[in-house]
Amino acid sequence: MNPLLSVRGLGISIGPANPVDSVSFDVNASEMLGIVGESGSGKSLTLRALLQLLPPHARTTGTATWQGRDLLAMPADDIRRVRGREVAVIYQEPMTALDPVLTIGLQITESLNVHLGLRGAAARVRAVQLLDRVGIPDAKRRLDNYPHEFSGGMRQRAMIAIALAAEPKLLLADEPTTALDVTIQDQILKLLLQLKEDLHMSVILVTHDLGIVAGTCDRVAVMYAGRIMESGPVYSVFRAPAHAYTLGLMRSVPNPAHARQLLSGISGTPPEPSHMPPGCRFAPRCGFATPQCSEAPPPLRECGPAHQTACIHADRIRQSVRVTA
Amino acid sequence: MNILAILARRLLHIAATVVLVALLIFVLMHFLPGDPVMMLLGDRASDEQIANMRHRLGFDRSVVEQFWEFLKMTASLQFGESVSMKVPVISLIVDRLPITLMLTSMAVVLAVLIAAPLAFIAALRQGGIADAIIRVISQVSLSMPVFYIGLILLITLAAGLRWFPVGGIGENFFQNLYYLFLPALTLALSLSAILLRNLREALIEVLQADYVSFATAKGLMRHTVLGRHVLRNAWISTITLLGLHVGSLVGGAVITETVFAIPGVGRLMIDSIFARDYAVVQGLTMILAVMVSIVFLAVDALQALLDPRVSA
Amino acid sequence: MSAVQEVAPREAAIAMAPGKRAPLKLGSSTLVGAVILLLFIACAAFPDAIAPYAPNKFDYRATLRPPSWAHPFGTDNFGRDVLSRTIWAARIDLQIAVFCTLFPAIFGTFVGCLIGYTGGAIDSVFRRIVDVVITIPFLVLVIAIVAVLGPGLTNMYIAVSAVNWIVYARLIRGEIIAQKRRDYAAAGQVMGYSASRILFRHLLPNALSPIVVYWMTDMALAILLGSSLGYLGLGAQPPTSEWGVLIGDAKNFMTTAWWMSIFPGIAIVIAGTGFSLLGDGLARLVRRR
């Protein structure tokens, strides 16, 4: 089966900095792919690059094949037709992503208008249905409210309703729950999963929270300093991490099953995008690193069924997991 | 809270401010060195003349009494009589205010028409050649005093090309549109230099806002994103900026009216200073402060109408 | 100053906002500003060495002459050399730039510090004063004060200073309040430092850079205001050479002798641009730190 979206060698340069470098991944139909990484790892930039939403001075290389066409090279008018209709985005902070001076209703109907040609009363009826579907009570009245009249969770629901107005095939979710309270985070994730089933769509979920990925995603790609370090099915990556960075991330999450386990975290800070280390970008912070790590950037290689790693010491790491566990 | 409640509160605040403005003007006129009576009558006045004049101006009463009189007069818009023109100050002001209002309104419209499109071009092409040119022009015109802009326009467009009259006003509204065009353009150019700079910054901020990116991500047409999302939000900044600059607009009008010999309140102010006509200066300062307050109020109201967050 | 006074603190605040631009180029514009300022100071310091004629030397055989090799900026209705007068005027206009801003900057900073640090009732009183002062247009207020004191340079300095300090006080008050919220002020208190030590040794140095940046811009504004008042006849008085006065003198010869007003005006624009370019450069420097 052909993947729905196939990203190959995506690189982003902003001035002298290269915050994203040769990133490749696939998204299959009806699949939820998690992209995990610390802030600044380039995961949000990657998402925005797919719809040509980067600031004008940013440059991209590589390809992102969608329905046989390259999203990164599409002319402005074509990519505009893809945005919202085939591939939609939701942002981290609904308070700033919704236009503060326009009603929620208008912000939904303008999407319906441009993609489905719905106008006037028909658009309003559809907008009410959409708000209903994302679980906003009293949707008809809420249509005329402004974003600031909604609570945080409601705003995120409204943003999802707007993004899904034209029933896209792929949703790019950029840290959709980070700005929310924990209890509401869970509701929003459940909603996303539900909508993914109902609409048969695929989702790329960008987050820094491993727990969220474990609970929702089918596959995961771990990003660090602009590169993919490891990718594979969620169960396989979490059961047998094959990269020192993934291991470090997992050890910095408290695990109720191992209450007495030491929380170790990762020492040091990520490199500046303008001063990336040669070779493996994680090597300077890595406990497993050898001089070989700093020679050349290690390519992704198979280390299990559909499981890839960019670590040359994957076997040692897996061994150490077995020893400590 | 609804808009009316906000406006009511603002109105109260403004009323309090106006009373304090009156106090400030009163203090300025009565306690600064320089005796208005001596200035009016000259050094050779007799004691009797001086006493008469002091009585006429009410200077022989206690300070508190005088301030109370002044407040009462101000509240009823009676600012006394012009010493040089022998008519009530208020009738002078009523005669001249419409011209100044027309001049400043035309200037605001022209300034927005000049500054807004340029700011838009500069912000959209941030860092480009157009942006650089626009920034240099606004930088240079920021350093141009209003009277100099007026002189250049006078020398070139009025005296040189004879497209416009050199000064004065016409006999009716439509003639005035023509007569006041050059002065209004003068004022507009000086205002748009500031407006352009601030508006460019504000627009760049709006263009980088998440909601603009999200609107683009929805697949909206470029002109919808700009015309609906960017413009609506940019309007709010423009109104706010205009409100902030109303003081400099009035100051500019005083100078422009002098340059173009326009019989508005600004020209009246300058003439009164040289005629040592304190009642007029005092009344005008008061009226101008009240007008500025009204503009502040109008800006608040407009913001509440345009920005749903304000009335929340 | 007439122009941007009311919004100055806000504008300075915008200038202070963390930049997301490309790497810093203090660059050519700041250099241009510095060169202009040096030229300005040179003219003010040694006008007799630079100017070809004495500023008030009448020559009734050469009145209202257009620009020529002998008189590059032409001559006025008394045959005075416009170039020489423009150069001599630099002395007065530099004086205006300094005298209209020096007292406000020092006094305003001092008062703003106290108000920002003390807060409470004094702060409410100050906010009231600000309300009143922004309600009366800056130029109108200055003109009204000059009207009572009588026209002239000294009275203009008094009038401007009486109003302008409030702008500085407002600016530094905001800075101090912002600084106070930061941790190190609290840390100082815990360590038992006296209020004045916290204020003047710790808070003020950190709040000072916006003041210095604004001061540069304010000097440009002062030149604009000073020349405007000179033009109106309320500032420097003829026969003093001051750019605004020179242009005011040319009022009746606008159509016949454009050079009398155009060249002094260019001097104002260049001097003003010099100060604001330097101010912008300083702002970028401060932002970078």
Side-chain angles (χ1 to χ4, degrees):
Chain A
M1 187 181 70
N2 273 338
L4 193 62
L5 171 73
S6 181
V7 177
R8 288 293 171 268
L10 172 67
I12 300 173
S13 57
I14 300 174
N18 289 304
V20 172
D21 182 48
S22 55
V23 161
S24 302
F25 59 86
D26 289 337
V27 184
N28 297 315
S30 306
E31 178 185 54
M32 193 132 166
L33 169 72
I35 299 183
V36 210
E38 295 167 74
S39 45
S41 59
K43 49 195 197 313
S44 296
L45 285 174
T46 303
L47 271 202
R48 292 190 184 211
L50 294 180
L51 283 180
Q52 300 189 14
L53 292 171
L54 293 173
H57 50 280
R59 298 277 167 271
T60 53
T61 52
T63 58
T65 311
W66 170 264
Q67 318 245 320
R69 302 185 64 194
D70 181 9
L71 290 177
L72 305 182
M74 267 191 196
D77 211 43
D78 294 5
I79 190 76
R80 187 189 63 70
R81 271 185 254 271
V82 172
R83 291 174 184 152
R85 183 75 186 93
E86 296 174 32
V87 183
V89 188
I90 54 174
Y91 286 165
Q92 172 174 351
E93 188 40 90
M95 188 66 210
T96 58
L98 296 174
D99 192 325
V101 303
L102 300 177
T103 59
I104 296 289
L106 180 63
Q107 295 189 56
I108 301 180
T109 47
E110 66 180 1
S111 283
L112 295 170
N113 191 327
V114 70
H115 292 305
L116 308 177
L118 285 178
R119 274 162 218 283
R124 271 184 79 86
V125 169
R126 182 81 188 113
V128 173
Q129 288 171 354
L130 285 166
L131 285 185
D132 243 2
R133 191 166 73 189
V134 297
I136 290 180
D138 201 5
K140 198 166 184 172
R141 199 175 53 80
R142 289 303 220 161
L143 225 45
D144 296 318
N145 281 15
Y146 290 95
H148 72 269
E149 296 170 294
F150 277 42
S151 70
M154 286 295 179
R155 275 196 286 269
Q156 190 57 278
R157 284 172 195 271
M159 177 148 72
I160 293 171
I162 293 170
L164 301 186
E167 310 207 335
K169 297 194 193 72
L170 174 64
L171 176 67
L172 312 177
D174 187 0
E175 305 240 12
T177 58
T178 308
L180 304 173
D181 290 343
V182 186
T183 47
I184 300 178
Q185 279 189 12
D186 202 43
Q187 294 172 14
I188 296 291
L189 288 172
K190 284 209 179 89
L191 174 67
L192 277 180
L193 280 172
Q194 181 67 47
L195 290 168
K196 168 183 164 281
E197 293 305 316
D198 293 352
L199 302 173
H200 309 292
M201 85 187 160
S202 307
V203 178
I204 302 182
L205 180 72
V206 158
T207 178
H208 62 269
D209 189 335
L210 281 180
I212 289 178
V213 171
T216 55
C217 295
D218 305 303
R219 284 191 312 123
V220 62
V222 180
M223 265 185 99
Y224 177 79
R227 288 217 186 114
I228 290 188
M229 298 281 126
E230 179 173 10
S231 73
V234 166
Y235 63 86
S236 164
V237 170
F238 284 0
R239 187 161 306 160
H243 197 288
Y245 178 63
T246 317
L247 188 62
L249 272 187
M250 287 169 62
R251 288 206 171 144
S252 51
V253 178
N255 184 347
H258 305 278
R260 307 240 155 208
Q261 194 189 28
L262 210 58
L263 274 181
S264 50
I266 305 169
S267 61
T269 51
E272 292 286 321
S274 48
H275 296 95
M276 291 294 190
C280 175
R281 288 179 171 178
F282 186 61
R285 297 171 74 187
C286 180
F288 296 89
T290 59
Q292 202 194 340
C293 293
S294 300
E295 278 167 16
L300 279 171
R301 60 186 177 86
E302 294 292 324
C303 63
H307 191 159
Q308 296 176 305
T309 178
C311 184
I312 52 179
H313 300 303
D315 296 335
R316 263 173 63 206
I317 288 156
R318 283 183 162 164
Q319 231 147 29
S320 85
V321 176
R322 248 169 260 138
V323 172
T324 44
Chain B
M1 198 183 343
N2 62 30
I3 295 176
L4 284 181
I6 293 175
L7 290 187
R9 211 181 49 191
R10 288 291 302 166
L11 206 60
L12 216 66
H13 182 87
I14 283 171
T17 304
V18 168
V19 172
L20 289 176
V21 168
L23 179 64
L24 175 68
I25 294 171
F26 180 79
V27 168
L28 283 182
M29 293 295 163
H30 288 76
F31 293 99
L32 281 183
D35 188 344
V37 178
M38 296 305 285
M39 281 194 179
L40 273 170
L41 297 175
D43 294 338
R44 273 170 292 181
S46 70
D47 287 352
E48 194 188 340
Q49 275 177 308
I50 292 174
N52 272 337
M53 184 56 93
R54 288 183 69 83
H55 180 72
R56 227 178 97 197
L57 296 174
F59 285 0
D60 50 353
R61 285 185 280 175
S62 82
V63 173
V64 181
E65 256 184 307
Q66 284 185 48
F67 182 58
W68 180 239
E69 279 303 313
F70 179 64
L71 265 189
K72 277 202 302 196
M73 271 169 34
T74 307
S76 56
L77 293 177
Q78 300 299 313
F79 300 105
E81 191 175 86
S82 156
V83 182
S84 58
M85 279 167 274
K86 314 284 181 213
V87 288
V89 172
I90 189 65
S91 69
L92 276 177
I93 294 177
V94 168
D95 273 356
R96 309 241 183 155
L97 200 54
I99 286 292
T100 304
L101 285 180
M102 186 168 171
L103 170 67
T104 44
S105 319
M106 283 171 72
V108 168
V109 173
L110 283 174
V112 172
L113 287 180
I114 295 168
L118 288 178
F120 232 95
I121 293 170
L124 282 177
R125 304 238 182 288
Q126 194 195 347
I129 296 169
D131 185 24
I133 293 171
I134 289 169
R135 285 172 70 186
V136 168
I137 292 174
S138 89
Q139 175 74 61
V140 171
S141 37
L142 263 180
S143 304
M144 266 197 203
V146 181
F147 67 92
Y148 189 54
I149 298 177
L151 278 178
I152 292 175
L153 293 183
L154 262 181
I155 292 175
T156 53
L157 300 185
L161 296 170
R162 298 186 183 281
W163 288 353
F164 296 97
V166 189
I169 54 164
E171 281 158 12
N172 55 44
F173 178 80
F174 295 101
Q175 275 189 4
N176 278 344
L177 278 181
Y178 173 58
Y179 271 84
L180 290 180
F181 181 79
L182 218 47
L185 184 64
T186 303
L187 209 45
L189 286 175
S190 107
L191 183 62
S192 50
I194 319 165
L195 214 55
L196 181 55
R197 196 182 163 122
N198 291 332
L199 210 50
R200 178 182 168 275
E201 299 276 340
L203 269 172
I204 286 174
E205 212 178 295
V206 172
L207 284 170
Q208 286 171 350
D210 259 3
Y211 57 78
V212 171
S213 167
F214 185 61
T216 310
K218 281 153 73 174
L220 300 182
M221 305 269 197
R222 180 96 172 128
H223 64 81
T224 316
V225 175
L226 292 179
R228 190 177 286 156
H229 294 270
V230 175
L231 209 58
R232 284 262 188 130
N233 284 281
W235 258 121
I236 297 173
S237 324
T238 311
I239 300 280
T240 311
L241 286 172
L242 282 174
L244 284 169
H245 292 298
V246 63
S248 56
L249 183 70
V250 173
V254 171
I255 296 173
T256 308
E257 288 179 3
T258 311
V259 174
F260 288 89
I262 296 165
V265 287
R267 179 84 192 280
L268 177 64
M269 177 115 183
I270 300 295
D271 289 347
S272 307
I273 289 174
F274 288 114
R276 309 214 177 287
D277 207 336
Y278 292 102
V280 179
V281 174
Q282 192 169 281
L284 270 178
T285 310
M286 202 61 228
I287 283 286
L288 289 178
V290 171
M291 306 260 303
V292 170
S293 301
I294 293 171
V295 173
F296 284 168
L297 193 69
V299 166
D300 282 349
L302 269 176
Q303 275 178 331
L305 281 177
L306 285 173
D307 190 342
R309 287 165 295 181
V310 171
S311 45
Chain C
M1 205 164 316
S2 64
V4 259
Q5 202 65 41
E6 282 81 1
V7 277
R10 186 193 142 90
E11 220 189 319
I14 290 172
M16 295 285 96
K20 352 168 176 41
R21 293 311 122 62
L24 173 93
K25 277 192 297 179
L26 247 193
S28 44
S29 64
T30 315
L31 195 69
V32 171
V35 170
I36 290 174
L37 189 63
L38 283 178
L39 207 71
F40 186 22
I41 293 174
C43 288
F46 315 107
D48 36 1
I50 298 170
Y53 302 89
N56 287 320
K57 186 174 155 281
F58 290 5
D59 182 354
Y60 291 107
R61 289 159 305 163
T63 56
L64 297 175
R65 292 275 170 86
S68 65
W69 283 113
H71 299 284
F73 288 5
T75 62
D76 70 3
N77 51 323
F78 295 110
R80 291 176 292 191
D81 180 50
V82 176
L83 172 65
S84 302
R85 300 202 80 199
T86 306
I87 291 171
W88 276 88
R91 176 169 279 186
I92 298 297
D93 282 275
L94 184 65
Q95 188 190 330
I96 289 173
V98 174
F99 283 11
C100 284
T101 57
L102 196 60
F103 170 81
I106 295 169
F107 181 71
T109 303
F110 183 73
V111 173
C113 273
L114 291 182
I115 292 166
Y117 191 73
T118 324
I122 300 179
D123 194 37
S124 337
V125 171
F126 178 71
R127 289 213 308 268
R128 272 274 165 226
I129 295 178
V130 170
D131 279 346
V132 170
V133 170
I134 60 167
T135 307
I136 310 177
F138 190 86
L139 185 78
V140 172
L141 187 52
V142 168
I143 287 179
I145 299 176
V146 171
V148 180
L149 296 175
L153 263 186
T154 315
N155 287 343
M156 181 182 91
Y157 295 147
I158 295 172
V160 174
S161 298
V163 187
N164 201 17
W165 68 269
I166 293 169
V167 180
Y168 286 88
R170 186 153 73 133
L171 192 60
I172 199 102
R173 169 190 166 274
E175 282 296 320
I176 292 282
I177 289 174
Q179 296 284 344
K180 230 168 59 172
R181 295 210 186 96
R182 296 206 187 156
D183 291 341
Y184 60 86
Q189 250 161 7
V190 171
M191 290 167 78
Y193 289 161
S194 71
S196 70
R197 176 166 175 163
I198 296 172
L199 179 53
F200 289 107
R201 295 279 296 278
H202 297 274
L203 293 179
L204 182 59
N206 284 294
L208 212 52
S209 39
I211 287 289
V212 175
V213 170
Y214 178 66
W215 187 38
M216 279 288 145
T217 318
D218 196 31
M219 288 207 267
L221 297 174
I223 292 177
L224 295 197
L225 178 71
S227 59
S228 297
L229 289 177
Y231 172 82
L232 293 175
L234 298 169
Q237 299 296 312
T240 311
S241 287
E242 189 277 326
W243 293 326
V245 171
L246 293 190
I247 298 172
D249 284 348
K251 242 179 266 181
N252 298 326
F253 307 97
M254 218 173 44
T255 48
T256 48
W258 52 268
W259 52 89
M260 278 177 70
S261 44
I262 291 299
F263 290 116
I266 291 175
I268 298 176
V269 175
I270 291 177
T273 307
F275 275 114
S276 40
L277 285 181
L278 264 186
D280 289 352
L282 273 179
R284 280 198 295 268
L285 199 71
V286 168
R287 221 185 313 178
R288 185 125 112 146
R289 265 198 334 204

